[in-house]
Amino acid sequence: MIVLGIETSCDETSVSIVQENKDRGKILSEKILSQVKKHQPFGGVVPELASREHSDSISNLTRQVLNETNLNLNDIDGFAATTGPGLLGGLLVGCNYAKGLSIITNKPFLSINHLQGHVLISRMNKKINFPFLCLLVSGGHSLILLAENYNKFKILGESIDDAVGEAFDKTSKLLGLSYPGGPLIEKLAKKAQRREKFNLPRPLINDKTMNLSFSGLKTSVRRIIEKNLSQSEKADLADEFQKSITECLLKKVNLAIDSSKHYEIQDFVLSGGVASNSFIRNQFKALCLKKNINFIVPAKSLCTDNATMIAWAGIEKLRNQKSGDSLNIHPQPRWSLESI
Ligand code: KG4
Ligand code: ZN
C-alpha cells in the first residue's frame, strides 16, 4: 500500500509518499517547505500569508515527490490530508487538494487529525502495541494521552493555558530571540553557567491532576527580563526555564504511568515539535528507565510538522477501515483527539 500525505495546518507545506512495508512504513519521498522566514518579521504565524504560501507551493511539491519516486498518481492507493486542528485557510488548501487527487484517480481520500499523525508516527519504524502512553508537546498542544488504537485516544491531562511550544516561543520573544523559539532557547541554555538562581515556579506541580499550566511561568520570565539581564544571565534563565518546564512534564507523566498500571503499558512515546529538544528527550529516557517502560521518540525530523506522519496515519486508517473517508468532510480548526 502506498499513501500520499499532505500537511498544511500551520507554517510548513509538506507532501510525502510512504509505502507500507511489513507492517511498518518506508518514506519513498518527502518534501517540506518551511515558511518560517516569511513569518519571522511578524514574530509568529500570519494565517492569511500561510494559506497563500501553501496554495502557491502544493502543486510543485506534489510533482517533486512523484518525480523522485517515478510513480504516477494512479500508483497511489490513498490521498491523506490534515483536516484539523490548525489554521482554516491552510487546512482548506491541503484538504481540497487531496480531495481533487482522490476524485481524478478514484482512490480513497483520508481525513487525518494532525495530532493523530504526531502520536502514530513512532509506529512507522517500530512495533509499538496499543495501548501506549504518549506525551504530545507541540506549538498548539500539550497532552498526556492513552492511545487505545489507531483511531481512539483518551486524554489524561492537558495544558489549561499555553502549550509547551507556545511557552518556548513566547519566552524566546521576551529574550529578544526569534521564532520558532524552542530550538533557540535550547541552544542558549547550553551556554548557562550559574544554574537555578531565578527561582522560577513549577506551576501545578503538586496538583493531583495530570493537567499542566505554563502561562504563569512566562509571566515570571517577563518580570525577570525587565531587570535588564546580561547575556550570560539570559543563558541561565533559558536553562532554568527549560528545566522548570521539563520538571512539570516529568511529574505529570510519572503520575500517568502510575495511574495506568492496570493497562499493562509497555511503551511511552514522546512526540510533537518540542520532542526534538535533546534535554527533554534525555530526561524522559531516564524516567522510563526508572519506571521500567520502553522509551520511544521519533527522529527529530519526524517530531516537527511533516507530511510523512499524515501519510503514515493514512496507511493505519486505510488498512483498518478498508475504505476512504467521505468527500463531505470539512476541515475543523478545532478538533479534539477524543472526538475522532
Ligand atoms: O509539532 P510542531 O512542529 O508544530 C505544531 O503542531 O505546533 O511544533 C512546533 C513547536 C514550536 O513551538 C517550536 O518552538 C517547538 O515546537 N520546538 C521546540 C524545539 N524544536 C521545536 N521546543 C523546544 N525545543 C526544541 N528543540
Ligand atoms: Zn504539529
Side-chain angles (χ1 to χ4, degrees):
M1 187 195 294
I2 299 178
V3 168
L4 184 146
I6 295 175
E7 161 58 39
T8 54
S9 67
C10 191
D11 58 350
E12 255 96 31
T13 318
S14 180
V15 182
S16 176
I17 299 181
V18 177
Q19 179 168 36
E20 189 185 28
N21 185 7
K22 293 182 192 136
D23 267 5
R24 308 272 72 86
K26 183 169 178 243
I27 304 173
L28 300 185
S29 175
E30 181 197 60
K31 297 284 163 210
I32 303 178
L33 191 67
S34 171
Q35 304 173 359
V36 160
K37 290 234 151 54
K38 306 257 173 184
H39 298 285
Q40 238 158 21
F42 307 99
V45 181
V46 183
E48 178 64 28
L49 183 58
S51 50
R52 233 179 292 159
E53 292 292 319
H54 290 306
S55 176
D56 283 350
S57 32
I58 188 95
S59 302
N60 272 340
L61 297 183
T62 306
R63 198 170 293 127
Q64 284 174 29
V65 290
L66 289 169
N67 285 346
E68 269 189 26
T69 50
N70 278 328
L71 294 170
N72 67 53
L73 283 177
N74 289 313
D75 298 320
I76 309 288
D77 299 302
F79 297 92
T82 303
T83 51
L87 300 171
L88 183 61
L91 294 171
L92 280 166
V93 172
C95 173
N96 285 338
Y97 199 80
K99 282 181 182 174
L101 296 176
S102 154
I103 289 168
I104 55 169
T105 54
N106 204 19
K107 297 284 178 62
F109 160 70
L110 299 150
S111 152
I112 303 296
N113 180 300
H114 178 84
L115 307 173
Q116 185 178 15
H118 275 304
V119 176
L120 295 180
I121 186 60
S122 293
R123 283 169 45 87
M124 185 176 82
N125 295 319
K126 198 170 174 15
K127 184 168 166 38
I128 305 168
N129 292 326
F130 295 111
F132 62 84
L133 271 179
C134 176
L135 171 67
L136 198 180
V137 271
S138 69
H141 298 85
S142 303
L143 302 167
I144 301 174
L145 58 96
L146 188 72
E148 297 183 63
N149 67 38
Y150 81 100
N151 221 20
K152 190 162 182 239
F153 306 91
K154 186 174 172 194
I155 296 171
L156 305 177
E158 62 190 318
S159 176
I160 58 169
D161 41 53
D162 292 354
V164 180
E166 190 181 356
F168 268 99
D169 294 336
K170 288 179 175 168
T171 298
S172 167
K173 215 171 182 178
L174 292 171
L175 283 165
L177 302 172
S178 163
Y179 170 86
L184 300 170
I185 290 191
E186 182 180 8
K187 197 167 158 208
L188 182 61
K190 287 196 178 121
K191 296 187 187 148
Q193 287 164 352
R194 304 235 313 268
R195 297 180 185 247
E196 301 284 333
K197 65 175 181 187
F198 297 107
N199 285 322
L200 286 180
R202 269 65 171 163
L204 294 188
I205 199 147
N206 292 319
D207 162 86
K208 298 255 177 312
T209 72
M210 285 169 241
N211 287 335
L212 300 149
S213 164
F214 299 107
S215 71
L217 185 56
K218 177 196 62 200
T219 308
S220 304
V221 168
R222 178 181 292 126
R223 282 207 200 98
I224 293 164
I225 288 175
E226 279 165 2
K227 291 178 191 150
N228 270 335
L229 301 185
S230 68
Q231 246 343 86
S232 97
E233 283 173 321
K234 281 186 179 171
D236 290 338
L237 183 58
D239 179 60
E240 200 174 317
F241 168 80
Q242 191 173 255
K243 277 191 185 149
S244 165
I245 289 222
T246 311
E247 271 176 41
C248 296
L249 295 174
L250 286 166
K251 178 81 188 287
K252 299 297 171 134
V253 168
N254 203 332
L255 268 182
I257 296 173
D258 289 346
S259 73
S260 44
K261 280 222 163 76
H262 52 289
Y263 288 107
E264 295 186 11
I265 305 281
Q266 289 169 350
D267 301 301
F268 167 76
V269 170
L270 183 62
S271 71
V274 180
S276 52
N277 181 296
S278 298
F279 177 76
I280 296 177
R281 288 163 92 98
N282 289 336
Q283 295 291 310
F284 275 97
K285 194 173 170 189
L287 174 73
C288 289
L289 198 66
K290 203 169 92 191
K291 294 297 224 182
N292 199 19
I293 179 170
N294 298 321
F295 171 67
I296 296 129
V297 64
K300 291 188 182 184
S301 59
L302 292 175
C303 287
T304 42
D305 286 352
N306 63 84
T308 293
M309 67 186 194
I310 304 307
W312 171 252
I315 288 179
E316 294 235 26
K317 196 170 200 187
L318 197 52
R319 71 182 179 197
N320 279 283
Q321 72 184 29
K322 306 282 190 260
S323 62
D325 291 318
S326 161
L327 291 174
N328 291 328
I329 285 178
H330 296 295
Q332 302 180 68
R334 292 175 167 273
W335 184 13
S336 166
L337 265 179
E338 279 188 342
S339 61
I340 288 181

